[in-house]
Amino acid sequence: MVIKPMIRNNICVNAHPEGSRLYVNRLVDYMREQKRIDGPANVLVIGSSAGYGLATRAAAAFASGANSLGVAFEKPASARRPATPGWYMTEEFERLARAEGLYAASLIGDAFSHEMKQNAVEKIRENMGTVDLVIYSLAAGVRVDPDTGEMFRSALKPIGDAYSSYTLDPFKEEIREVSVEPATREEIEATVKVMGGEDWALWIQALLDAGVLSEGVTTLAYSYIGSDFTRPIYRDGTIGQAKEHLEASAGELDSKLSAIGGSARVSINKAVVTRASAVIPVVPLYMTILFRVMKEKGVHEGTGEQMYRLFAERLYGPGAVPTDGNGRIRLDDRELRDDVQAEVRAGWDGIGEENLQELADLEEYRSEFLHMHGFGFDEIDYDEDVDL
Ligand code: NAD
């Protein structure tokens, strides 16, 4: 089968196996080229197959020599369809890690279920004993409550007032006005249920009860704040409510883990292209301008650079872990620099379809987006038949 990207509304619905493997190899090579970190030995990554979770797993294994168990929701290939990109990436990651003598296994299924937590406990017990780092990096649209069976669907909406702004189709090079109605109370609650801290707390409790957390364990969940451009739809919207719940959960988990000398924190990461961020209105336009500005200033970062910096300069750097006044790790420091945001503002105010190429880095966005589905690599002949 010849596989070409099928993209609709900023969603790519297929993946290229060989390209997906190349994506992982590049990420792994990047980590290998960095200075070694005296980091964790055994890691659990929940949401390990893509985006920030995959990059964290790569930093742990290839910059710090860690064994890892991953948890992700991906689908294998069928006779007529390729697998999801994270399926191929997980296979390739495991192959590369095992070739270095590291333990690497993954559980594919619903992280929100009790069953998955028990499976993870058993795997850790059998193969690593205990874990000293637990990363919570899920981005999900739905969650089934494991006790009641009720299904919750998250919404990406403002709260209070309707919100109008602009969004970009980076492939058609079209800027469109978008208007989003405010969320209902049910939608806010459902988003908190899916993307808040409830499931993270259930994971930590299950791991703690089973005795598979090391003395001094660290657990981290990822969050985003952003700036004025995305505030009404992101931080002040439904997803922001969920992130506030997640951040409050860090405080509760931190107290709980102090019994074993452990800690729980949130890391505020920068905006990067992932399957999750591509579907948030306004965000693609903001990111293309941001990438142009950050590249011009020599401070552009993708998931790999961010997660290496998390390990080298935050979690396992010299001295205590640096945090803001709310106990959060900040990796969005470069994105939020005043000079960066001022130039993004100037670009945003002046942008139109006629000067998109000049004010926005469409190329960077498109190649990141294609690469994470295994497309857009010069090394690969996309006209060649692929054996699914
Ligand atoms: P992503 O879509 O690239 O990855 C999400 C991961 O979650 C995948 O591994 C997927 O398989 C897994 N997953 C989803 N539902 C699952 C389920 N039910 N069971 C098991 N696994 C499941 O997302 P991402 O952008 O890397 O987001 C990860 C975290 O980082 C989120 O908390 C997000 O808010 C945060 N974050 C993202 C950005 C950004 O710009 N992308 C910025 C800051 C923080």
Side-chain angles (χ1 to χ4, degrees), residues 189-377:
E189 286 169 4
T191 309
V192 171
K193 201 72 186 164
V194 179
M195 287 297 286
E198 192 176 276
D199 181 59
W200 182 25
L202 289 174
W203 267 100
I204 297 305
Q205 191 63 54
L207 298 166
L208 193 59
D209 290 347
V212 293
L213 296 178
S214 313
E215 280 282 318
V217 66
T218 298
T219 183
L220 276 193
Y222 295 148
S223 184
Y224 183 66
I225 295 178
S227 59
D228 291 347
F229 302 96
T230 52
R231 186 158 292 131
I233 193 82
Y234 198 94
R235 195 66 198 192
D236 290 348
T238 46
I239 182 75
Q241 290 283 304
K243 291 301 188 190
E244 271 174 27
H245 186 274
L246 185 80
E247 291 167 26
S249 305
E252 288 160 27
L253 292 177
D254 197 54
S255 310
K256 190 167 273 179
L257 290 176
S258 64
I260 55 166
S263 64
R265 291 180 205 284
V266 159
S267 173
I268 310 287
N269 302 341
K270 84 173 272 279
V272 292
V273 188
T274 64
R275 282 188 286 167
S277 65
V279 295
I280 307 174
V282 186
V283 168
L285 181 59
Y286 167 70
M287 279 200 285
T288 53
I289 304 174
L290 178 75
F291 293 168
R292 194 245 320 145
V293 173
M294 291 187 79
K295 270 184 166 178
E296 280 169 7
K297 291 180 181 291
V299 290
H300 179 73
E301 291 176 306
T303 55
E305 289 84 357
Q306 279 265 296
M307 293 302 97
Y308 180 78
R309 195 151 71 89
L310 169 69
F311 275 48
E313 294 178 18
R314 301 291 192 271
L315 284 185
Y316 305 105
V321 176
T323 56
D324 66 13
N326 294 313
R328 302 173 298 198
I329 294 172
R330 303 299 295 259
L331 287 166
D332 59 347
D333 47 345
R334 296 173 181 167
E335 172 180 351
L336 294 187
R337 251 169 47 179
D338 288 346
D339 61 324
V340 170
Q341 288 297 317
E343 284 194 35
V344 174
R345 165 62 60 199
W348 181 276
D349 289 344
I351 205 160
E353 284 176 2
E354 67 293 347
N355 58 12
L356 256 178
Q357 295 291 350
E358 197 189 317
L359 295 179
D361 195 339
L362 296 179
E363 245 350 280
E364 177 67 31
Y365 186 98
R366 285 193 289 238
S367 76
E368 279 286 319
F369 184 87
L370 289 170
H371 287 175
M372 70 197 190
H373 296 91
F375 296 111
F377 287 109

Side-chain angles (χ1 to χ4, degrees), residues 1 76-83 386-388:
M1 177 191 241
S78 67
R80 289 183 303 131
R81 276 186 80 85
V386 180
D387 182 356
L388 287 184

Side-chain angles (χ1 to χ4, degrees), residues 107-177:
L107 295 167
I108 303 298
D110 183 13
F112 294 127
S113 68
H114 288 314
E115 191 193 357
M116 179 58 88
K117 294 172 178 76
Q118 284 320 310
N119 289 345
V121 162
E122 278 160 37
K123 277 267 180 206
I124 293 168
R125 223 180 243 147
E126 270 167 39
N127 302 288
M128 296 188 283
T130 57
V131 285
D132 31 36
L133 179 65
V134 179
I135 297 294
Y136 191 80
S137 186
L138 289 187
V142 290
R143 172 175 173 225
V144 174
D145 183 299
D147 293 319
T148 64
E150 195 180 341
M151 184 193 276
F152 295 90
R153 199 170 285 281
S154 67
L156 286 165
K157 292 191 175 181
I159 294 174
D161 299 314
Y163 171 61
S164 292
S165 188
Y166 296 93
T167 199
L168 169 74
D169 182 324
F171 290 91
K172 292 189 184 150
E173 302 191 6
E174 283 170 5
I175 296 180
R176 237 175 355 97
E177 214 180 324

Side-chain angles (χ1 to χ4, degrees), residues 73-112:
F73 193 85
E74 300 293 342
K75 289 206 182 102
S78 67
R80 289 183 303 131
R81 276 186 80 85
T84 51
W87 179 276
Y88 297 120
M89 290 180 187
T90 300
E91 272 183 346
E92 182 66 358
F93 178 89
E94 289 181 4
R95 190 185 69 77
L96 293 167
R98 287 182 195 141
E100 294 220 347
L102 300 173
Y103 170 76
S106 309
L107 295 167
I108 303 298
D110 183 13
F112 294 127

